[in-house]
Amino acid sequence: MPCNADGNPVVDKIRILDGFGEVLKIYKVPIGRDQFEGAQLDGAYLYGAQLSGANFKGAALYWAGFFEANLDGANFENAGLQGADLKRTSCIGANFRRANLGRDNLGGNTQLQGANLTGAILNKANLEGAEYDEDTIFPKGFYPTSHGMIAKKH
């Protein structure tokens, strides 16, 4: 973990915003390759974020918003993404092994409409109830209905 001249960890702030742009919560996370591993980021508003290669392994991302974010090569292994908004994200080569992209506790669905999952690792991921559409691009040989996913029309 990077440290400043005093030997203290260098941190960055992630702001959680409501639908009106008001700050609900601020998280301090260490800067570096593993800055999000195991992080509690439920409801995080990360729309359009450039998070290529980020490590979210084991992170809590319940209802997180990633709309139009770049998540290429990101690691979501064992992450909780129930109810997350992943619409129109680029997830090329992302690792979702054993991640939970299933329904949230209120029966809401994770949204993958228009997401690019080319080359993504989906082994043992829970995708039951996750929504996709005709613009969603899946890895070669992946069949969404056999994983309990729901097709939505525009």
Side-chain angles (χ1 to χ4, degrees), residues 46-136:
L46 300 165
Y47 286 21
Q50 298 299 311
L51 296 164
S52 179
N55 185 8
F56 290 97
K57 184 176 182 179
L61 296 157
Y62 193 87
W63 286 1
F66 289 100
F67 181 76
E68 294 186 341
N70 180 342
L71 303 169
D72 293 347
N75 182 11
F76 290 96
E77 186 171 347
N78 293 316
L81 290 151
Q82 302 95 310
D85 179 358
L86 293 159
K87 287 184 283 198
R88 295 174 38 186
T89 56
S90 183
C91 299
I92 298 169
N95 178 10
F96 290 97
R97 186 183 319 268
R98 291 186 297 278
N100 188 350
L101 292 97
R103 289 185 176 93
D104 63 29
N105 291 337
L106 301 174
N109 302 5
T110 300
Q111 300 171 4
L112 290 162
Q113 294 93 325
N116 185 347
L117 297 162
T118 302
I121 300 166
L122 298 170
N123 301 13
K124 299 185 180 180
N126 175 13
L127 295 158
E128 186 74 33
E131 297 177 355
Y132 69 98
D133 64 11
E134 62 269 12
D135 295 328
T136 307

Side-chain angles (χ1 to χ4, degrees), residues 37-51:
E37 185 170 347
Q40 296 292 316
L41 296 169
D42 295 330
Y45 184 86
L46 300 165
Y47 286 21
Q50 298 299 311
L51 296 164

